[in-house]
Amino acid sequence: MSNMAEYPVEHRVSELFAAAKAVQKNAYAPYSHFPVGAAILTPSGRIHAGCNVENAAYPVGACAEAGAIAAMVAAGETAISVILTICDSIEVGTCCGGCRQRVREFATADTLIYACGPDGVRAVFTMEQLLPTSFGPENLNGFVS
Ligand SMILES: [Zn+2]
């Protein structure tokens, strides 16, 4: 994509975009017909991807971000440096509210969220922009034994 070079090389946006676009093709979205792909870059440099998986019992379906996070955790990693999502929306397609909280669980102070369309990056957000004054693991300090 032509606009990938605008972003810092360490964000590996081209690779994340390619990974998200590839997995988007495998999305199971027979009900919404809205395939989404997500790719996560971790501090170790690994990339984990996921797609949305819908279900005939609609609320049981899972977002692409949830799939990518599950793949990351299954691979033994628990920190997100960058997460990039791709969808075919005409508008900027950002993470849903639930996924903002899912990403927040594994976010670092520097985590960035790239929102892409088929043409490339449409917007970039910090965690604080997408989920201001959020609740995270540190809020449980002192309350979990
Ligand atoms: Zn979501």
Side-chain angles (χ1 to χ4, degrees):
M1 292 288 108
S2 60
N3 68 349
M4 301 299 170
E6 297 173 22
Y7 303 100
V9 66
E10 64 269 23
H11 295 175
R12 295 171 59 188
V13 176
S14 292
E15 285 175 80
L16 288 169
F17 186 86
K21 195 172 180 75
V23 77
Q24 181 193 22
K25 292 181 174 64
N26 294 334
Y28 180 74
Y31 309 109
S32 71
H33 305 288
F34 190 74
V36 181
I40 290 170
L41 175 67
T42 64
S44 74
R46 293 182 67 185
I47 289 175
H48 307 282
C51 57
N52 53 331
V53 181
E54 295 181 348
N55 193 286
Y58 287 11
V60 180
C63 291
E65 296 93 322
I69 287 169
M72 173 187 77
V73 173
E77 301 200 86
T78 55
I80 297 173
S81 298
V82 178
I83 181 166
L84 179 150
T85 61
I86 181 170
C87 67
D88 298 330
S89 174
I90 294 185
E91 305 293 330
V92 174
T94 59
C95 302
C96 78
C99 285
R100 293 175 192 206
Q101 186 66 44
R102 287 186 181 96
V103 173
R104 170 63 176 85
E105 180 74 17
F106 304 103
T108 70
D110 303 319
T111 297
L112 290 174
I113 300 100
Y114 282 73
C116 299
D119 49 330
V121 178
R122 292 182 173 166
V124 186
F125 303 94
T126 64
M127 195 71 253
E128 183 66 18
Q129 287 173 314
L130 284 189
L131 197 63
T133 322
S134 62
F135 187 90
E138 69 279 6
N139 294 109
L140 295 176
N141 287 343
F143 292 91
V144 177
S145 56

